[in-house]
C-alpha cells in the first residue's frame, strides 16, 4: 500500500475525527459486477432463486465438498498471535458473546480480535488479517463481523467493510455504526447513499455523539457532490457550539470550520478553527495549523 493511500486510510476511523478527510474530498472507486446470460434454456424466476439459495447453502455448510479443506487452509493462513495476548483484555460483553463457540475456538477468536484492535492504527492491513481470521472462526457471532467491518474500513476495503457491518447489524440489531457505513458509501463513490442513511429511521435511534459523527460524514458527502452550502446547513442543524470541550463537539466544530471555509466565510472559519485549536489538547486535529495558514 502506498504512503498516500495509508495516510488516506488513517483518516477514515470510526468514532474519530473526520475533518482532515473532508478537506481532501475523496471518493474512491466502485466496482460493479454483472451477471452473464446462460446459454442454456430459459427458466422461471422462482427456479433461478431456488438455485441461488442452494448454491449459497452449499458454499456455507460443512456438507459441501472441500469445506473441511477450505477451513484448514484458512486456519493455516492465520497471522501469528504473540504468547502474551490475554483474552481478559477484551470487553467482558464481547467475551460473553463468544461463549456460543467452543472454549478453544472462543479463546482464539478473542486473541485475533485483540490483535486487530491493537494493530488497527499502525498496521491496518495486518489488523484486517486478524479480523478476518476471527470472522472465519466465528462467522455467526455479530461482534466478530463488526470487528471485521471496522478493520476493513481502516484498511480502505470499503465494500468488505460495508458488507460486514450490514451483517453485524442484522445479527445484533440497533442502528449499528451508521457513520462508518455512510463513509464506506463515500469511499465507493456513492455519496447519495450516505445521505440516505442520514435520513433513515435507524439514524433517529442514534445517541447525540453518534448522530454528530454521521452528520459530519454526510456533510462530507454533500461536498463530494459539490453542495458546499448544503454541507454548512447540515452541520448547522447539529448545533455546533464553542461552549463545550466535548470531543464530539470538537470534531463538529472542526468540520463546521472546514465547511465555512469552502464557502469563503473565512473569518468565521478562522474563529472556529481557533476554538478547536484551544481545546484540542491531544492534537487530534490540525486546527492549529489551519489557523496559521489563514494568517
Amino acid at each position: 500500500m502506498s504512503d498516500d493511500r495509508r495516510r488516506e486510510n488513517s483518516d477514515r476511523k470510526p468514532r474519530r475525527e473526520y475533518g482532515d478527510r473532508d478537506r481532501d474530498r475523496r471518493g474512491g472507486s466502485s466496482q460493479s459486477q454483472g451477471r452473464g446470460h446462460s446459454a442454456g434454456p430459459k427458466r422461471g424466476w422462482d427456479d433461478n432463486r431456488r438455485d441461488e439459495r442452494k448454491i449459497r447453502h452449499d458454499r456455507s455448510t460443512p456438507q459441501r465438498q472441500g469445506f473441511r479443506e477450505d477451513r484448514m487452509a484458512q486456519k493455516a493462513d492465520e497471522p501469528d498471535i504473540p504468547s502474551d495476548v490475554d483474552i481478559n483484555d477484551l470487553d467482558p460483553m464481547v467475551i460473553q458473546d463468544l461463549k456460543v463457540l467452543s472454549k478453544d475456538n472462543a479463546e482464539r477468536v478473542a486473541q485475533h480480535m485483540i490483535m486487530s484492535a491493537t494493530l488497527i492504527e499502525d498496521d491496518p492491513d495486518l489488523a484486517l488479517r486478524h479480523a478476518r481470521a476471527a470472522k472465519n472462526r466465528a462467522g455467526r457471532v455479530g461482534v466478530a463481523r463488526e470487528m471485521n467491518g471496522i478493520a476493513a474500513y481502516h484498511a480502505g476495503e470499503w465494500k468488505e467493510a460495508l458488507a460486514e457491518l450490514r451483517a453485524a447489524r442484522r445479527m445484533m440489531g440497533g442502528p449499528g455504526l451508521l457513520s462508518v457505513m455512510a463513509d464506506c458509501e463515500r469511499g465507493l463513490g456513492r455519496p447519495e447513499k450516505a445521505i440516505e442513511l442520514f435520513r433513515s429511521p435507524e439514524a433517529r435511534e442514534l445517541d447525540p455523539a453518534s448522530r454528530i459523527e454521521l452528520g459530519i460524514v454526510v456533510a462530507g458527502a454533500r461536498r463530494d457532490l459539490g453542495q458546499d452550502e448544503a454541507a454548512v446547513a447540515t452541520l448547522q442543524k447539529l448545533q455546533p457550539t464553542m461552549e463545550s470541550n466535548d470531543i464530539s463537539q470538537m470534531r463538529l466544530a472542526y468540520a463546521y470550520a472546514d465547511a465555512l471555509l469552502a464557502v469563503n466565510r473565512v473569518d468565521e472559519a478562522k474563529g472556529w478553527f481557533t476554538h478547536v485549536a484551544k481545546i484540542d489538547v491531544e492534537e487530534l486535529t490540525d486546527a492549529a495549523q489551519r489557523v496559521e495558514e489563514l494568517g
Side-chain angles (χ1 to χ4, degrees):
M1 181 180 292
S2 69
D3 291 340
D4 289 341
R5 177 70 183 280
R6 193 174 296 281
R7 279 193 295 271
E8 176 178 336
N9 292 340
S10 68
D11 287 339
R12 295 183 175 266
K13 300 168 186 173
R15 302 195 178 106
R16 290 183 65 93
E17 207 280 311
Y18 287 90
D20 292 343
R21 184 201 53 243
D22 290 337
R23 288 183 64 194
D24 296 338
R25 309 282 290 278
R26 302 186 181 100
S29 61
S30 62
Q31 296 179 346
S32 60
Q33 294 179 340
R35 294 189 182 185
H37 295 284
S38 172
K42 293 182 179 179
R43 297 181 299 163
W45 181 83
D46 288 340
D47 290 337
N48 290 330
R49 287 292 298 275
R50 280 194 292 271
D51 284 351
E52 288 175 6
R53 286 196 294 268
K54 182 177 185 300
I55 289 169
R56 288 196 296 268
H57 175 75
D58 289 346
R59 287 177 178 170
S60 62
T61 56
Q63 287 76 25
R64 74 168 174 84
Q65 186 175 2
F67 178 87
R68 183 179 180 84
E69 290 78 5
D70 287 349
R71 292 287 292 159
M72 291 176 65
Q74 287 174 348
K75 289 182 179 180
D77 193 45
E78 289 180 359
D80 294 334
I81 297 174
S83 58
D84 61 348
V85 174
D86 184 358
I87 65 169
N88 292 314
D89 291 338
L90 206 58
D91 187 305
M93 292 181 67
V94 175
I95 293 176
Q96 182 66 34
D97 287 345
L98 297 178
K99 286 188 176 180
V100 298
L101 307 172
S102 68
K103 183 180 178 182
D104 289 346
N105 193 35
E107 182 171 336
R108 198 66 172 175
V109 170
Q111 289 173 330
H112 278 302
M113 292 182 71
I114 291 170
M115 289 301 298
S116 182
T118 302
L119 294 164
I120 207 162
E121 299 282 350
D122 299 324
D123 194 341
D125 291 334
L126 183 54
L128 179 54
R129 287 187 62 205
H130 279 287
R132 284 171 175 166
K135 191 280 292 282
N136 289 337
R137 286 174 170 268
R140 296 186 180 182
V141 179
V143 288
R145 304 298 290 267
E146 183 177 77
M147 185 73 242
N148 192 171
I150 293 171
Y153 171 75
H154 275 263
E157 298 292 343
W158 322 124
K159 189 174 181 180
E160 178 181 356
L162 199 53
E164 293 302 324
L165 291 173
R166 282 172 175 165
R169 281 181 64 194
R170 287 195 297 270
M171 294 176 180
M172 301 164 68
L177 296 175
L178 281 186
S179 62
V180 183
M181 294 173 67
D183 214 22
C184 288
E185 295 288 9
R186 288 184 66 198
L188 290 166
R190 302 188 302 225
E192 300 90 346
K193 296 274 188 184
I195 295 169
E196 285 177 18
L197 283 174
F198 192 56
R199 296 169 175 162
S200 68
E202 292 85 357
R204 291 193 286 271
E205 299 177 29
L206 295 172
D207 59 76
S210 298
R211 187 162 178 80
I212 285 174
E213 295 289 356
L214 179 57
I216 292 171
V217 175
V218 169
R222 289 292 188 188
R223 293 178 65 182
D224 292 342
L225 294 167
Q227 301 170 0
D228 291 343
E229 291 287 356
V232 172
T234 296
L235 296 170
Q236 284 175 335
K237 290 176 183 177
L238 297 170
Q239 300 180 330
T241 177
M242 293 187 185
E243 303 301 319
S244 173
N245 293 343
D246 178 79
I247 192 167
S248 293
Q249 279 292 336
M250 183 187 76
R251 287 196 287 265
L252 175 58
Y254 182 100
Y256 187 47
D258 199 41
L260 288 169
L261 193 60
V263 295
N264 295 317
R265 292 164 62 175
V266 179
D267 290 341
E268 291 176 79
K270 185 176 179 180
W272 283 97
F273 279 132
T274 300
H275 164 67
V276 175
K278 286 179 180 177
I279 64 174
D280 186 10
V281 293
E282 295 183 19
E283 297 185 352
L284 297 174
T285 73
D286 63 349
Q289 181 184 336
R290 303 297 295 278
V291 173
E292 240 181 87
E293 290 172 355
L294 293 173

